[in-house]
């Protein structure tokens, strides 16, 4: 099996993935001109895509007005699903329709994720589509995630500025904008252009024509979210019986907290931070959680296979789009797989002997590649295969 890095990514044009990651990823923006022109030409048009806003399962929002230009009294933001009359009666200018998680609903956009397989799939948030009339946009704002902005239809003007301490303000409910936006980058993107933005960079996209923008966003969990996960892990793991103690304390009339007390707390925290299994659990469980995502309408190809014995050489398997998966190998060569917040320990004695083959298989499966099943997989990962089957997490062709 080839590793994804061995295959060039069309989203980066002539740049290789190693150069992009070392020079631009989470560091500075990068514009790729006309790298996807041929590929986006076959994407669904704005009329077909707008139809998804009629569906109850698809998260959608409609902004009327032009945030950052229109007065707040002229702006409205409403949540879908919408009816046909609402969408067909939209004005000629100054509106934006946003569709979330389109990688779950339109196979063509799910295929876009193969263009970013040089980044672990567990970092992915979703693919959002923005359909906008001339003058439409969501206003100047900042996002705390990496994003590839792919222009698939029409032209959009993008203005970008570095991270700053400019204040956010709520233009209307559920719409945060930045004040006094001053762009350092100003470019009009056409179909086939791609703009990468790291977290925190201020940006403002304004449609110049009827336009469609595909945004591939990557999640970055906040420390408070990870700490909450850590607390949950500690509270459910009875081997962590940590409690503040001070057998070293001497009699004293001093009522203050001392450096020795702080050191005791540090020792407790060090015990936690030195626990490799605990920390891998915290991160892996958190980044593979799917929240409220349910199986999409496109996930209807699973065959009724419920046991490992049903696997035969020659079939092809693929993880369903709504699932998130990663794995971790400890310093003692113990392998755990995480899917949708659940951990599966692969304890077979064959694992260590076949570690390279197993990790290649896991990389491909977690990357949502379609791959041929091989007998060695059944021998070494029965726990994983059984979990996937019992939870209907595989496409099987």
């Amino acid at each position: 099996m080839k590793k994804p890095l061995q295959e060039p990514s069309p989203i980066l044009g002539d740049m290789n993935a190693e150069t992009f990651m070392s020079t631009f990823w989470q560091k500075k923006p990068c514009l790729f001109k006309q790298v996807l022109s041929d590929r986006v030409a076959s994407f669904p048009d704005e009329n077909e895509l707008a139809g998804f806003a009629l569906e109850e399962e698809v998260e959608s929002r409609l902004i009327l007005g032009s945030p950052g230009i229109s007065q707040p009294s002229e702006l409205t933001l409403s949540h879908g699903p919408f009816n046909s009359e609402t969408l067909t009666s939209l004005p000629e200018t100054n509106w934006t329709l946003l569709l979330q998680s389109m990688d779950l609903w339109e196979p063509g956009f799910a295929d876009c994720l193969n263009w970013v397989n040089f980044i672990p799939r567990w970092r992915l948030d979703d693919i959002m589509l923005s359909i906008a009339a001339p003058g439409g946009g969501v206003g100047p704002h900042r996002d705390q995630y990496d994003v590839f902005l792919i222009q698939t239809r029409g032209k959009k003007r993008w203005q970008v500025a570095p991270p700053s301490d400019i204040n956010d303000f709520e233009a209307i409910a559920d719409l945060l904008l930045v004040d006094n936006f001053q762009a350092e980058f100003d470019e009009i993107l056409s179909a086939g252009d791609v703009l990468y933005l790291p977290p925190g960079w201020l940006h403002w996209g304004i449609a110049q024509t009827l336009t469609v923008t595909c945004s591939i966003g990557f999640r970055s969990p906040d420390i408070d979210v990870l700490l909450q996960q850590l607390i949950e892990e500690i509270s459910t793991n009875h081997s962590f019986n940590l409690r503040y103690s001070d057998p070293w304390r001497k009699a004293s009339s001093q009522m203050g907290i001392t450096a020795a007390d702080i050191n005791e707390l540090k020792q407790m925290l060090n015990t936690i931070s030195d626990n490799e299994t605990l920390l891998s659990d915290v991160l892996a469980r958190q980044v593979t959680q799917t929240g409220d995502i349910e199986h999409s309408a496109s996930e209807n190809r699973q065959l009724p296979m419920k046991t490992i014995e049903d696997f035969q050489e020659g079939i092809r398997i693929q993880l369903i789009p709504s699932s998130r998966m990663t794995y971790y190998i400890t310093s003692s060569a113990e392998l755990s797989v995480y899917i949708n917040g659940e951990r599966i320990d692969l304890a077979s004695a064959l694992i260590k002997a076949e570690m390279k083959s197993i990790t290649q298989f896991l990389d491909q499966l977690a990357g949502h590649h379609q791959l041929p099943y091989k007998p060695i997989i059944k021998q070494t990962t029965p726990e994983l295969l059984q979990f996937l089957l019992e939870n209907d997490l595989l496409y099987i062709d």
Side-chain angles (χ1 to χ4, degrees):
M1 298 178 190
K2 290 185 177 181
K3 293 183 179 180
L5 282 180
Q6 293 178 317
E7 302 174 1
S9 170
I11 204 170
L12 302 179
D14 294 332
M15 186 183 298
N16 62 49
E18 289 84 356
T19 299
F20 172 78
M21 296 301 287
S22 63
T23 306
F24 297 101
W25 177 255
Q26 297 225 317
K27 302 172 186 70
K28 58 183 178 181
C30 189
L31 176 62
F32 302 93
K33 296 290 289 184
Q34 293 300 288
V35 292
L36 297 175
S37 302
D38 294 340
R39 296 173 185 265
V40 301
S42 61
F43 281 11
D45 65 20
E46 56 276 1
N47 293 319
E48 183 177 349
L49 293 172
F52 284 97
L54 307 175
E55 304 294 333
E56 185 175 354
E57 296 86 355
V58 179
E59 182 183 348
S60 58
R61 291 168 289 164
L62 177 62
I63 300 173
L64 296 179
S66 185
I69 299 176
S70 305
Q71 295 298 316
S73 59
E74 301 172 324
L75 296 173
T76 63
L77 186 154
S78 50
H79 295 265
F82 301 98
N83 56 47
S84 297
E85 182 179 355
T86 297
L87 299 183
T88 56
S89 61
L90 290 172
E92 294 292 323
T93 60
N94 298 345
W95 58 263
T96 302
L97 180 64
L98 303 173
L99 304 170
Q100 298 290 156
S101 300
M102 285 302 294
D103 46 303
L104 303 185
W105 305 103
E106 172 55 48
F109 291 108
D111 292 341
C112 293
L113 299 179
N114 293 326
W115 302 343
V116 290
N117 257 348
F118 52 89
I119 302 165
R121 187 64 72 93
W122 58 261
R123 285 283 271 113
L124 177 73
D125 188 7
D126 74 341
I127 287 183
M128 182 185 79
L129 292 187
S130 169
I131 306 170
V138 299
H141 65 286
R142 78 187 97 215
D143 297 313
Q144 294 306 324
Y145 51 78
D146 302 86
V147 64
F148 289 90
L149 300 163
I150 304 170
Q151 199 64 30
T152 67
R153 289 286 189 279
K155 296 180 181 291
K156 180 176 280 190
R157 179 187 181 188
W158 282 102
Q159 296 173 283
V160 179
S164 75
D165 57 1
I166 294 176
N167 292 328
D168 293 321
F169 71 95
E170 192 171 51
I172 54 175
D174 298 327
L175 185 62
L176 284 178
L177 303 182
V178 294
D179 210 358
N180 300 317
F181 177 78
Q182 300 292 326
E184 294 187 5
F185 167 98
D186 195 329
E187 188 88 21
I188 292 179
L189 270 62
S190 302
D193 293 342
V194 178
L195 176 62
Y196 163 75
L197 294 176
W201 282 71
L202 313 182
H203 52 288
W204 187 0
I206 304 175
Q208 307 297 292
T209 65
L210 185 60
T211 183
V212 179
T213 304
C214 169
S215 303
I216 305 179
F218 293 85
R219 57 169 67 179
S220 297
D222 294 332
I223 185 62
D224 60 335
V225 172
L226 292 173
L227 287 176
Q228 290 173 14
Q229 185 71 42
L230 177 62
I231 292 171
E232 181 178 338
E233 291 294 319
I234 292 175
S235 64
T236 57
N237 189 334
H238 299 295
S239 64
F240 278 94
N241 188 21
L242 293 175
R243 188 179 296 274
Y244 178 88
S245 61
D246 53 359
W248 41 262
R249 190 173 299 281
K250 293 179 171 53
S252 172
S253 60
Q254 181 182 351
M255 297 295 126
I257 291 175
T258 67
D261 295 306
I262 299 302
N263 284 334
E264 186 66 30
L265 177 58
K266 287 181 179 179
Q267 291 301 315
M268 295 173 66
L269 295 176
N270 286 340
T271 300
I272 294 172
S273 65
D274 289 341
N275 191 301
E276 179 185 8
T277 302
L278 173 66
L279 295 185
S280 63
D281 247 24
V282 168
L283 182 60
R285 288 183 188 274
Q286 179 58 44
V287 299
T288 58
Q289 290 182 9
T290 58
D292 296 329
I293 295 177
E294 297 181 357
H295 290 349
S296 70
S298 66
E299 297 177 356
N300 56 8
R301 293 182 290 161
Q302 299 98 317
L303 296 181
M305 302 174 71
K306 292 296 184 181
T307 68
I308 302 172
E309 287 69 29
D310 291 328
F311 278 84
Q312 300 293 329
E313 189 169 11
I315 66 171
R316 301 181 67 84
I317 60 177
Q318 182 178 7
L319 197 67
I320 63 174
S322 62
S323 286
R324 301 186 187 277
M325 172 181 166
T326 188
Y327 64 89
Y328 185 74
I329 305 171
T330 68
S331 56
S332 57
E334 295 177 351
L335 176 61
S336 293
V337 177
Y338 297 83
I339 303 178
N340 300 346
E342 298 288 334
R343 186 179 80 189
I344 304 97
D345 293 317
L346 305 185
S348 171
L350 291 175
I351 288 293
K352 292 182 181 180
E354 300 291 343
M355 185 68 79
K356 184 177 180 180
S357 297
I358 296 302
T359 55
Q360 286 180 336
F361 168 72
L362 295 177
D363 285 334
Q364 295 288 306
L365 189 62
H368 292 256
H369 294 279
Q370 188 181 81
L371 63 158
Y373 166 76
K374 295 183 178 180
I376 187 63
I377 302 305
K378 182 165 67 175
Q379 297 172 30
T380 55
T381 61
E383 306 93 339
L384 173 61
L385 293 179
Q386 195 63 49
F387 178 87
L388 293 170
L389 290 171
E390 290 176 352
N391 291 277
D392 296 325
L393 299 179
L394 286 180
Y395 284 160
I396 303 175
D397 294 327

